[in-house]
Amino acid sequence: IATPEIAAAGFEIEGKPAIEFSRVFAGRRRSEMIGMFLALLHLMKNRLVTVRQDKIEGQIYLAPRDPDAVEIAPDTDGA
Protein backbone atom coordinates (compact mmCIF):
# COMPACT_ATOMS: atom_id res chain seq x y z
CA ILE A 1 0.00 0.00 0.00
CA ALA A 2 2.97 2.34 0.57
CA THR A 3 3.51 4.76 -2.31
CA PRO A 4 6.55 6.95 -3.09
CA GLU A 5 4.52 9.97 -1.88
CA ILE A 6 3.94 8.31 1.51
CA ALA A 7 7.59 7.27 1.80
CA ALA A 8 8.75 10.81 0.95
CA ALA A 9 6.56 12.34 3.67
CA GLY A 10 9.12 11.39 6.32
CA PHE A 11 6.67 10.32 9.07
CA GLU A 12 6.33 6.86 10.57
CA ILE A 13 3.70 4.98 12.56
CA GLU A 14 4.76 1.66 14.05
CA GLY A 15 7.86 1.75 11.81
CA LYS A 16 5.87 2.21 8.59
CA PRO A 17 5.93 5.32 6.38
CA ALA A 18 3.00 7.64 7.10
CA ILE A 19 1.38 10.61 5.37
CA GLU A 20 -0.51 13.60 6.76
CA PHE A 21 -4.26 13.19 6.37
CA SER A 22 -4.56 16.65 4.78
CA ARG A 23 -2.03 15.75 2.05
CA VAL A 24 -4.35 13.02 0.80
CA PHE A 25 -6.84 15.72 -0.26
CA ALA A 26 -4.47 18.47 -1.41
CA GLY A 27 -5.16 19.70 -4.94
CA ARG A 28 -8.22 17.49 -5.47
CA ARG A 29 -11.69 18.49 -6.62
CA ARG A 30 -14.54 18.16 -4.11
CA SER A 31 -15.89 15.01 -5.77
CA GLU A 32 -12.42 13.43 -5.63
CA MET A 33 -12.10 14.35 -1.94
CA ILE A 34 -15.42 12.67 -1.16
CA GLY A 35 -14.35 9.51 -2.98
CA MET A 36 -10.96 9.49 -1.24
CA PHE A 37 -12.59 10.00 2.17
CA LEU A 38 -15.00 7.11 1.60
CA ALA A 39 -12.12 4.91 0.44
CA LEU A 40 -10.13 5.83 3.57
CA LEU A 41 -13.11 4.96 5.78
CA HIS A 42 -13.30 1.57 4.09
CA LEU A 43 -9.55 0.98 4.60
CA MET A 44 -9.86 1.97 8.27
CA LYS A 45 -12.91 -0.28 8.77
CA ASN A 46 -10.91 -3.20 7.37
CA ARG A 47 -7.90 -2.20 9.47
CA LEU A 48 -5.66 -1.84 6.43
CA VAL A 49 -4.64 1.67 7.51
CA THR A 50 -3.36 2.84 10.89
CA VAL A 51 -4.51 6.32 11.98
CA ARG A 52 -2.76 8.41 14.64
CA GLN A 53 -3.33 11.85 16.14
CA ASP A 54 -0.94 12.83 18.94
CA LYS A 55 -2.91 15.72 20.41
CA ILE A 56 -6.34 17.34 20.19
CA GLU A 57 -6.57 19.42 17.01
CA GLY A 58 -3.17 18.02 15.99
CA GLN A 59 -2.21 16.62 12.61
CA ILE A 60 -3.68 13.22 11.69
CA TYR A 61 -1.32 10.66 10.17
CA LEU A 62 -2.16 7.59 8.06
CA ALA A 63 0.07 4.57 7.51
CA PRO A 64 -0.48 1.22 5.79
CA ARG A 65 -0.77 -1.92 7.91
CA ASP A 66 0.50 -5.36 7.01
CA PRO A 67 -2.46 -6.93 5.16
CA ASP A 68 -1.31 -10.44 6.15
CA ALA A 69 -1.76 -9.57 9.85
CA VAL A 70 -5.26 -8.12 9.44
CA GLU A 71 -8.61 -9.91 9.48
CA ILE A 72 -11.07 -8.22 7.10
CA ALA A 73 -14.25 -7.04 8.84
CA PRO A 74 -17.46 -8.58 7.45
CA ASP A 75 -19.63 -6.31 5.35
CA THR A 76 -22.58 -5.43 7.58
CA ASP A 77 -24.15 -2.58 5.63
CA GLY A 78 -26.42 -4.94 3.65
CA ALA A 79 -25.06 -3.84 0.26
Side-chain angles (χ1 to χ4, degrees):
I1 298 176
T3 66
E5 181 182 40
I6 291 174
F11 304 104
E12 288 189 355
I13 298 176
E14 299 173 0
K16 301 211 184 224
I19 188 168
E20 293 176 357
F21 181 78
S22 60
R23 288 187 62 179
V24 172
F25 302 102
R28 298 189 188 274
R29 294 186 322 263
R30 183 179 178 150
S31 61
E32 292 174 314
M33 286 188 232
I34 293 167
M36 292 293 292
F37 184 74
L38 293 173
L40 280 171
L41 288 176
H42 185 74
L43 291 171
M44 286 184 249
K45 172 185 170 189
N46 289 311
R47 298 184 179 147
L48 295 171
V49 173
T50 299
V51 180
R52 187 183 85 202
Q53 184 178 27
D54 292 331
K55 59 183 178 177
I56 295 173
E57 296 186 28
Q59 188 60 254
I60 298 170
Y61 298 96
L62 306 167
R65 292 185 68 187
D66 182 5
D68 294 332
V70 176
E71 183 177 326
I72 303 298
D75 187 8
T76 59
D77 64 3

